[in-house]
């Protein structure tokens, strides 16, 4: 694989920055989940905020602001039901819908009934406001500035209610709470101007609405069929339907607040690697955890370093599995990384066909760590955002078909969920039949070794499907209260 | 080892009974739904791999009414007549109550011989039938699954001294010959053979298909392209443009276990299109018998059984499938691997995305194709699987493990390969 140039061809100045940038240099972030009480005032406030939103062309800002809406949120801003129903069905019904819940495996403790945000019993959320800044002090200032914007309106009315908020951060070493370097293999959007390995540059339409995807078609995008607002602000539908496209340069976000049970994770690794005399073996525990994840803690890929951690921080993403490790002897077939991005080794297909398939199911991940709770009672976790043009074919597909599936992709995996994010909760109906001894197969020479009795190391604490509009779509939303004007010819 | 058979019947409902029949069939349950116990069990029907009952809805077609009917289909290890006997014995009382809603059934009480006669009289042929794991009985599939589980346990218990392929194989062989192996005798008695591609018939089939493709490509498909497809009216709805509530209902019984089922009812296009469907189903049937015998249908390795059946005297046709994974994965797989194969058959259904020279276009418009598929999907009121937690690839792998273990001698390479399967 080689790094290739990727000249800019998408309209970065109309795209919210978070879609193209992870803001690695801005270590702190804060999320507001808000309700719009009065559409008119909501639109006024959005109008004020738009100049502060960071477009994808800006890469050196001190702060960054991005805003996304839910299905009910768009209607709370004044979008008509007919127009809102032009959005994709998963977005309309939301993450807590029964069918979606089952696909995602959110049962028991992870049931949306128990969520802190976006769940079945909590406050409905309309929008998610994501802020980034470089230091704790700066995020605090920025957060309060935005809070003031949201809660103060010239009318004196309290128009926007913050129903949930949470802060996040990035560790300097880039590791997540289990101790592994995260976010190394994010795909690169074709036309974004960023270089990347040629196999990882993915058609723009997989992530940005209004462009061709890996099927060489335009992804399904919400059109305006019920004339409202200033339609001149919106581009025409790329499929030439004659309608205006609310989606172009926007995308969808699957947000998940994922609690990580760090102690349980490491206790499990230790219990499975104890020496015969009962003593713990820290090296073996780290090795097992790395096999389960698919990289060493520092990020070095197992395919290149199968037996020992090279001990360096690595963002090496220049590898495949087909030639280097077809049988999973180095990076196990069921490891978290390999199953969720099988690269050039999907099922027993040849590398070209494998890449064709995997490129149709990728996700841009924007994860930040969080820590809540009081001393001695802390909760650690990940504020996860998966960005994709097609929730069903990307976020849901990966979670359902590749992570939760007990027999994913490879014929030698029989009862192997994703060991990190796919082990069923005891309340999952799948637990009521079949073999409950979920396991992790470590392929090896001369034979496989099974790690039995996998446990669930994560709990979903919140979630939502959101639409991240383009800047012009945001401007359009502010005009929804205007009288209808004939469109420019 | 006999090959699994396809059995099906279609029985028209008396007017006004469409909903009653659907409700009655729901009583049978969806055995994949662990919350709802079912009358269809492995104890009652030990020679059935998969079975389904559903109501094909009534429609008005070109001004004429097609009445609703009950469709039954099953994939079985025994002769059709024996299956009717088994079905009558297992759920005779239920069938009697169900058939009271149908035309032409007049029994006063459940009588096995009358039920069998009634089912036989409504038997319909299955012109194209694909078997993912041919020549395996339900019993064998379960036996080989047990074998795999045990062998996996055995190799996991090995100690550090057993660190060569031969040592591991010896450990397995010791267990195989031990008394604790409860399937020992049955495993060694029953055939462990898996079907192979027979090269002469395969070559002839290939030649035949090639000739057919040339004839079609030069004459028939251009005719269809210019005279039929240009006038056809595709449904033209992306999957996201379907009614969200309807879609929700269709998805409600899915993704409970690893396997899923799909039942679709299509209106058949007429004329040359119908003729091409007839030809292509027969070609599919031949290919399924001769070439696709190793677990993949046009590259898709997740289909246990699939069939295409003409109903209502050919005015409509159905597709029934039992597969692994989700609907999106299943149909997406086909599009990724061989969308042209889908076009060759489903292009004959009304509303299908417009094709180009029969093989192009169509399914390759993925959003529209998924929408068309869901639109034509009908509720499967009752569904049964004899091994709901087993994937097709795993069933095939289990057979190969068994075949390897019972081979008289294995080279070192073969041993390595065998151990990698476990």
């Amino acid at each position: 694989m080689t790094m290739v140039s990727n000249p800019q061809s998408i309209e970065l100045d109309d795209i919210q920055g978070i879609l193209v940038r992870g803001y690695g240099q801005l270590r702190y972030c804060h999320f507001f989940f808000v309700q719009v009480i009065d559409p008119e005032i909501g639109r006024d406030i959005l109008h004020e905020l738009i100049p502060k939103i960071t477009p994808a062309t800006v890469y050196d800002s001190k702060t960054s602001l991005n805003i996304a809406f839910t299905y009910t949120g768009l209607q709370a801003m004044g979008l008509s039901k007919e127009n809102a129903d032009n959005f994709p069905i998963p977005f309309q019904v939301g993450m807590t819908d029964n069918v979606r819940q089952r696909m995602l495996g959110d049962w028991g403790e992870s049931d949306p009934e128990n969520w802190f945000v976006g769940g079945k019993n909590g406050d409905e959320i309309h929008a998610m406001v994501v802020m980034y800044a470089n230091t704790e002090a700066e995020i605090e200032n920025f957060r309060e500035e935005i809070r003031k914007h949201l809660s103060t309106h010239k009318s004196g009315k309290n128009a926007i209610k913050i129903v949930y908020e949470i802060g996040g951060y990035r560790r300097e070493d880039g590791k997540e709470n289990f101790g592994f370097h995260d976010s190394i293999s994010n795909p690169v959007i074709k036309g974004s101007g960023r270089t990347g390995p040629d196999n990882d540059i993915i058609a723009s339409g997989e992530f940005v609405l209004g462009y061709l995807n890996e099927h060489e078609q335009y992804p399904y995008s919400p059109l305006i069929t019920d004339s409202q607002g200033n339609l001149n602000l919106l581009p025409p539908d790329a499929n030439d339907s004659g309608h205006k496209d609310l989606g172009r340069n926007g995308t969808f976000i699957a947000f998940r607040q994922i609690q990580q049970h760090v102690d349980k994770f490491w206790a499990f690794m230790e219990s499975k690697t104890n020496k015969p005399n009962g003593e713990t073996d820290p090296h073996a525990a780290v090795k097992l955890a790395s096999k389960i994840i698919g990289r060493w803690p520092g990020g070095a890929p197992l395919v290149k370093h199968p037996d020992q951690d090279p001990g360096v921080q690595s963002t090496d993403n220049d590898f495949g599995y087909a030639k280097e490790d077809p049988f999973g002897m180095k990076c196990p077939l069921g490891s978290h990384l390999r199953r969720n991005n099988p690269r050039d080794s999907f099922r027993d297909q040849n590398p070209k066909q494998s890449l064709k398939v995997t490129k149709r199911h990728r996700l841009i991940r924007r994860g930040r760590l969080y820590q809540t709770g009081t001393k001695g009672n802390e909760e650690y976790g990940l504020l996860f955002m998966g960005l994709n043009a097609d929730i069903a074919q990307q976020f849901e597909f990966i979670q359902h078909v590749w992570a939760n599936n007990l027999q994913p992709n490879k014929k030698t995996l029989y009862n192997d969920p994703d060991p990190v994010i796919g082990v069923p909760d005891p309340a999952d109906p799948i637990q009521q039949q079949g073999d409950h001894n979920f396991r992790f197969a470590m392929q090896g020479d001369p034979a496989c070794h099974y790690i039995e009795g996998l446990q669930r190391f994560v709990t979903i604490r919140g979630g939502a499907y959101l639409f991240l509009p383009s800047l012009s779509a945001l401007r359009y939303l502010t005009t929804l209260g205007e009288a209808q004007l004939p469109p420019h010819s | 080892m006999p090959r699994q058979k396809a059995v099906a019947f279609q029985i028209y409902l008396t007017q006004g009974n469409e909903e009653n029949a659907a409700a009655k069939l729901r009583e049978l349950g969806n055995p994949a739904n662990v919350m709802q116990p079912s009358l269809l069990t492995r104890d009652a029907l030990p020679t059935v791999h998969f079975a389904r009952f559903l109501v094909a809805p009534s429609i008005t077609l070109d001004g004429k009414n097609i009445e609703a009917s009950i469709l039954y289909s099953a994939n079985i290890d025994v002769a059709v007549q024996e299956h009717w006997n088994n079905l009558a014995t297992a759920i005779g009382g239920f069938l009697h109550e169900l058939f009271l809603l149908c035309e032409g059934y007049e029994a006063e009480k459940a009588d096995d011989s009358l039920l069998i006669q009634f089912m036989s009289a409504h038997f319909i042929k299955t012109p194209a039938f694909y078997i993912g794991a041919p020549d395996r009985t339900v019993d064998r599939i379960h036996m080989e699954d047990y074998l795999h589980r045990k062998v996996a346990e055995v190799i996991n218990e090995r100690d550090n001294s057993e660190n060569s392929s031969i040592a591991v194989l010896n450990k397995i062989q010791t267990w195989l010959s031990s008394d604790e192996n409860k399937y020992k005798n049955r495993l060694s008695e029953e055939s462990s053979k898996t079907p192979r591609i027979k090269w002469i018939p395969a070559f002839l089939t290939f030649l035949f298909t090639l000739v057919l493709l040339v004839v079609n490509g030069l004459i028939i498909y251009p005719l269809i392209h210019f005279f039929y497809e240009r006038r056809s009216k595709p449904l033209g709805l992306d999957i996201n443009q379907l009614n969200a509530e309807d879609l929700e209902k269709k998805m409600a019984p899915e993704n409970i276990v690893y396997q899923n089922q799909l039942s679709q009812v299509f209106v058949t296009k007429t004329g040359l299109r119908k003729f091409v469907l007839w030809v292509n189903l027969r070609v599919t049937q031949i290919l399924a018998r001769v070439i696709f015998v190793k677990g993949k249908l046009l590259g898709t390795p997740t289909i246990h059984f699939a069939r295409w059946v003409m109903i209502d005297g050919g005015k409509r046709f159905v597709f029934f499938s039992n597969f692994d994974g989700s609907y999106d994965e299943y149909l997406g797989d086909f599009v990724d691997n061989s969308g042209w194969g889908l076009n060759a058959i489903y292009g004959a259904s009304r509303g299908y995305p417009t094709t180009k020279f029969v093989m192009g276009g169509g399914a390759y418009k993925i959003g529209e194709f998924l929408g068309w598929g869901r639109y034509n999907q009908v509720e499967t009121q009752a569904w049964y699987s004899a091994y709901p937690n087993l994937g097709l690839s795993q069933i095939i792998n289990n057979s190969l493990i068994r075949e390897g273990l019972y081979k008289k001698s294995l080279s070192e390479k073969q041993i390595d390969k065998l151990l990698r399967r476990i």
Side-chain angles (χ1 to χ4, degrees):
Chain A
M1 235 186 296
T2 46
M3 297 294 274
V4 293
S5 70
N6 177 25
Q8 189 197 323
S9 60
I10 58 173
E11 294 156 0
L12 288 179
D13 54 352
D14 194 35
I15 294 173
Q16 293 198 53
I18 199 176
L19 177 51
V20 177
R21 307 192 177 279
Y23 297 118
Q25 82 284 9
L26 304 178
R27 279 188 54 208
Y28 293 88
C29 73
H30 199 83
F31 288 70
F32 284 145
F33 292 88
V34 304
Q35 261 181 16
V36 180
I37 296 163
D38 179 318
E40 201 174 316
I41 301 176
R43 292 193 290 264
D44 259 7
I45 289 173
L46 178 62
H47 184 73
E48 284 172 25
L49 282 178
I50 287 175
K52 293 184 178 297
I53 290 173
T54 330
T57 38
V58 177
Y59 55 89
D60 55 357
S61 60
K62 290 250 162 65
T63 56
S64 167
L65 175 71
N66 297 267
I67 297 181
F69 290 89
T70 62
Y71 171 68
T72 49
L74 289 168
Q75 291 175 78
M77 292 292 284
L79 192 72
S80 71
K81 173 91 169 45
E82 179 182 323
N83 286 331
D85 286 349
N86 290 335
F87 275 82
I89 289 173
F91 174 75
Q92 288 180 42
V93 299
M95 198 182 270
T96 61
D97 164 74
N98 290 343
V99 163
R100 263 55 220 187
Q101 175 191 353
R102 189 160 64 223
M103 283 204 280
L104 299 175
D106 295 338
W107 299 97
E109 270 198 90
S110 296
D111 194 307
E113 301 228 344
N114 305 322
W115 287 1
F116 298 149
V117 58
K120 284 181 177 166
N121 293 329
D123 291 313
E124 188 173 86
I125 56 173
H126 290 159
M128 177 173 82
V129 181
V130 191
M131 297 149 275
Y132 292 90
N134 196 15
T135 63
E136 271 186 284
E138 281 169 14
I139 194 71
E140 210 176 301
N141 286 338
F142 191 43
R143 178 188 76 201
E144 292 314 309
E145 183 192 332
I146 300 299
R147 191 194 304 277
K148 211 168 147 195
H149 269 289
L150 291 173
S151 49
T152 324
H153 184 254
K154 54 187 183 237
S155 65
K157 282 185 191 165
N158 189 5
I160 290 194
K161 183 180 160 198
I162 297 173
V163 296
Y164 185 74
E165 62 183 290
I166 188 164
Y169 60 97
R170 180 180 173 274
R171 266 166 57 165
E172 262 182 79
D173 57 10
K175 289 181 177 175
E176 49 69 60
N177 286 310
F178 292 138
F180 289 82
H181 199 310
D182 197 13
S183 293
I184 299 173
S185 60
N186 261 331
V188 177
I189 301 171
K190 193 173 180 185
S192 63
R194 308 191 91 167
T195 54
D198 55 359
N199 284 342
D200 244 2
I201 296 181
I202 313 288
S204 337
E206 292 292 319
F207 306 106
V208 196
L209 300 173
Y211 299 88
L212 293 176
N213 62 19
E214 287 288 337
H215 288 273
E216 295 178 9
Q217 289 156 32
Y218 294 104
Y220 183 78
S221 191
L223 305 179
I224 300 295
T225 52
D226 172 22
S227 286
Q228 59 172 152
N230 183 355
L231 290 169
N232 295 316
L233 292 168
L234 295 178
D237 171 18
N239 276 325
D240 293 331
S241 65
H243 296 296
K244 292 288 189 161
D245 185 358
L246 183 57
R248 186 178 169 90
N249 292 330
T251 196
F252 294 97
I253 299 179
F255 168 79
R256 309 272 270 177
Q257 181 176 337
I258 306 170
Q259 181 185 359
Q260 293 173 277
H261 303 286
V262 179
D263 291 345
K264 193 175 166 189
F265 179 85
W266 284 107
F268 178 84
M269 301 307 152
E270 283 174 6
S271 74
K272 296 293 175 185
T273 51
N274 276 346
K275 292 177 183 166
N277 63 8
E279 282 176 25
T280 56
D281 182 345
H283 284 293
V286 169
K287 186 172 178 180
L288 172 60
S290 304
K291 292 283 179 185
I292 276 180
I293 299 281
R295 284 185 191 263
W296 291 101
L302 291 174
V303 165
K304 293 186 179 174
H305 308 277
D307 301 315
Q308 234 173 352
D309 188 349
V312 290
Q313 290 289 95
S314 168
T315 52
D316 186 353
N317 199 28
D318 191 8
F319 63 91
Y321 299 113
K323 261 194 203 153
E324 293 88 338
D325 187 24
F327 306 116
M329 302 288 182
K330 297 172 183 172
C331 181
L333 303 173
S335 65
H336 174 62
L337 258 65
R338 186 161 182 169
R339 62 194 294 148
N340 291 316
N341 179 11
R343 299 181 182 234
D344 60 353
S345 177
F346 177 71
R347 295 200 185 120
D348 53 1
Q349 293 175 345
N350 65 46
K352 195 176 162 209
Q353 181 67 11
S354 294
L355 281 166
K356 180 173 134 185
V357 174
T358 52
K359 282 182 170 188
R360 290 172 174 179
H361 307 286
R362 295 293 303 274
L363 202 57
I364 292 177
R365 293 164 296 125
R366 302 275 181 240
R368 288 294 166 117
L369 310 186
Y370 75 88
Q371 182 189 335
T372 55
T374 50
K375 200 166 181 200
N377 199 21
E378 293 93 347
E379 178 181 319
Y380 297 97
L382 188 69
L383 301 168
F384 171 88
M385 286 185 283
L387 285 79
N388 51 185
D390 188 334
I391 294 170
Q393 292 296 331
Q394 292 170 272
F395 170 70
E396 287 181 346
F397 188 98
I398 293 170
Q399 179 72 47
H400 175 60
V401 179
W402 287 350
N404 295 353
N405 187 347
L406 301 174
Q407 295 154 356
N409 305 340
K410 297 287 178 185
K411 58 192 168 208
T412 52
L413 300 181
Y414 280 70
N415 207 30
D416 299 42
D418 182 314
V420 184
I421 58 165
V423 179
D425 185 280
D428 192 320
I430 197 87
Q431 290 266 19
Q432 296 178 36
Q433 58 176 45
D435 183 354
H436 307 169
N437 181 11
F438 302 112
R439 64 189 192 188
F440 176 67
M442 280 214 287
Q443 291 76 30
D445 187 22
C448 192
H449 180 61
Y450 296 106
I451 304 298
E452 312 265 357
L454 280 181
Q455 296 166 10
R456 194 167 159 84
F457 304 125
V458 295
T459 303
I460 306 303
R461 294 295 186 195
Y465 288 147
L466 301 120
F467 170 55
L468 183 81
S470 67
L471 288 159
S472 36
L474 285 172
R475 283 184 207 106
Y476 168 76
L477 291 177
T478 66
T479 69
L480 287 172
E482 290 176 11
Q484 190 58 46
L485 295 169
H488 295 165
S489 55
Chain B
M1 177 84 41
R3 190 153 286 195
Q4 298 95 317
K5 292 174 192 66
V7 61
F9 65 61
Q10 180 183 24
I11 307 176
Y12 286 100
L13 289 159
T14 42
Q15 243 183 0
N17 271 330
E18 191 169 332
E19 259 318 301
N20 296 339
K24 183 76 196 158
L25 287 177
R26 284 188 205 106
E27 284 176 22
L28 265 185
N30 175 343
N33 185 345
V34 288
M35 311 302 180
Q36 189 183 2
S38 171
L39 287 174
L40 301 173
T41 62
R42 201 175 140 213
D43 283 344
L45 296 162
T47 53
V48 176
H49 293 256
F50 290 87
R52 75 183 70 198
F53 283 95
L54 58 116
V55 173
S58 60
I59 53 161
T60 307
L61 191 60
D62 306 326
K64 283 183 190 158
N65 236 22
I66 297 184
E67 291 300 331
S69 55
I70 290 170
L71 294 173
Y72 170 75
S73 111
N75 310 302
I76 54 176
D77 290 329
V78 293
V80 172
Q81 199 57 35
E82 193 178 337
H83 177 65
W84 298 141
N85 292 347
N86 295 345
L87 206 57
T89 311
I91 55 169
F94 173 86
L95 288 175
H96 170 70
E97 288 170 25
L98 178 70
F99 292 159
L100 286 174
L101 306 170
C102 298
E103 277 177 12
Y105 183 78
E106 282 163 1
E108 280 174 14
K109 60 179 173 60
D111 176 320
D112 282 6
S113 61
L114 283 178
L115 288 169
I116 293 164
Q117 210 182 341
F118 193 64
M119 289 188 284
S120 293
H122 293 88
F123 171 83
I124 48 172
K125 278 188 187 157
T126 298
F129 182 46
Y130 168 75
I131 307 170
D135 299 356
R136 290 147 176 102
T137 59
V138 172
D139 194 35
R140 175 174 163 189
I141 286 170
H142 278 283
M143 234 165 31
E144 290 177 347
D145 177 44
Y146 172 83
L147 176 72
H148 169 263
R149 281 164 195 271
K150 293 305 286 186
V151 168
E153 271 175 35
V154 170
I155 66 161
N156 220 28
E157 283 161 7
R158 71 186 188 273
D159 58 41
N160 289 339
S161 65
E162 293 158 318
N163 58 4
S164 71
S165 308
I166 293 176
V168 175
L169 184 66
N170 282 342
K171 193 175 174 71
I172 300 170
Q173 299 288 12
T174 309
W175 173 79
L176 266 183
S177 56
S178 71
D179 287 337
E180 63 171 298
N181 173 6
K182 71 171 180 167
Y183 283 119
K184 188 172 68 175
N185 291 332
R186 284 175 59 201
L187 276 168
S188 46
E189 275 165 22
E190 198 172 320
S191 162
S192 68
K193 283 208 173 115
T194 50
R196 300 268 189 271
I197 295 173
K198 292 179 185 125
W199 291 108
I200 293 173
F203 181 68
L204 292 175
T205 307
F206 176 74
L207 270 188
F208 165 71
T209 314
L210 201 67
V211 170
L212 199 69
L213 269 178
V214 171
V215 173
N216 279 338
L218 290 177
I219 305 165
I220 311 275
Y221 291 178
L223 281 177
I224 287 181
H225 181 76
F226 290 110
F227 294 99
Y228 284 81
E229 282 304 272
R230 294 205 168 171
R231 282 183 293 149
S232 74
K233 290 181 195 146
L235 178 69
L237 293 178
D238 184 278
I239 186 162
N240 288 299
Q241 289 172 302
L242 300 181
N243 180 297
E245 265 179 48
D246 283 351
L247 184 64
E248 192 85 350
K249 268 191 208 155
K250 286 178 178 173
M251 292 178 80
E254 293 178 5
N255 302 322
I256 296 165
V257 288
Y258 180 51
Q259 291 170 358
N260 277 307
Q261 55 70 31
L262 178 63
S263 301
Q264 293 167 310
V265 179
F266 310 109
V267 174
T268 322
K269 289 178 182 167
T270 51
L272 199 53
R273 257 298 186 190
K274 193 172 178 179
F275 172 72
V276 168
L277 173 66
W278 186 88
V279 172
N280 285 347
L281 287 183
R282 267 140 195 91
V283 172
T284 306
Q285 173 75 348
I286 296 168
L287 292 173
R289 300 285 299 190
V290 181
I291 311 239
F292 305 131
V293 294
K294 300 184 78 168
K296 283 186 189 170
L297 178 59
L298 292 174
T300 297
T302 51
I303 310 164
H304 292 264
F305 292 91
R307 72 171 74 192
W308 296 261
V309 181
M310 310 302 292
I311 61 168
D312 306 316
K315 290 191 185 72
R316 294 195 284 183
F317 70 103
V318 299
F319 175 63
F320 294 155
S321 175
N322 302 289
F323 61 94
D324 301 322
S326 72
Y327 171 91
D328 283 355
E329 182 190 21
Y330 177 45
L331 271 70
D333 255 345
F334 266 115
V335 176
D336 291 337
N337 295 323
S338 47
W340 53 269
L342 298 168
N343 293 344
I345 291 183
Y346 298 108
S349 80
R350 280 199 195 172
Y352 192 73
T354 313
T355 59
K356 287 180 190 154
F357 293 96
V358 177
M359 305 292 238
Y364 291 107
K365 295 172 215 161
I366 178 91
E368 200 183 323
F369 171 68
L370 293 176
W372 162 88
R374 282 290 190 195
Y375 184 84
N376 287 290
Q377 184 182 359
V378 293
E379 182 188 353
T380 303
Q381 282 88 8
W383 180 53
Y384 167 75
S385 164
Y387 32 85
N389 297 301
L390 265 179
L392 192 259
S393 297
Q394 285 68 23
I395 289 172
I396 304 241
N397 194 47
N398 289 346
S399 294
L400 294 172
I401 290 170
R402 177 173 164 220
E403 205 175 85
L405 287 174
Y406 281 85
K407 265 209 176 111
K408 290 231 164 63
S409 69
L410 290 168
S411 68
E412 241 175 89
K413 248 188 169 175
Q414 285 173 317
I415 297 173
D416 286 345
K417 198 173 172 190
L418 172 63
L419 292 180
R420 278 203 300 271
R421 291 191 178 283
I422 302 167

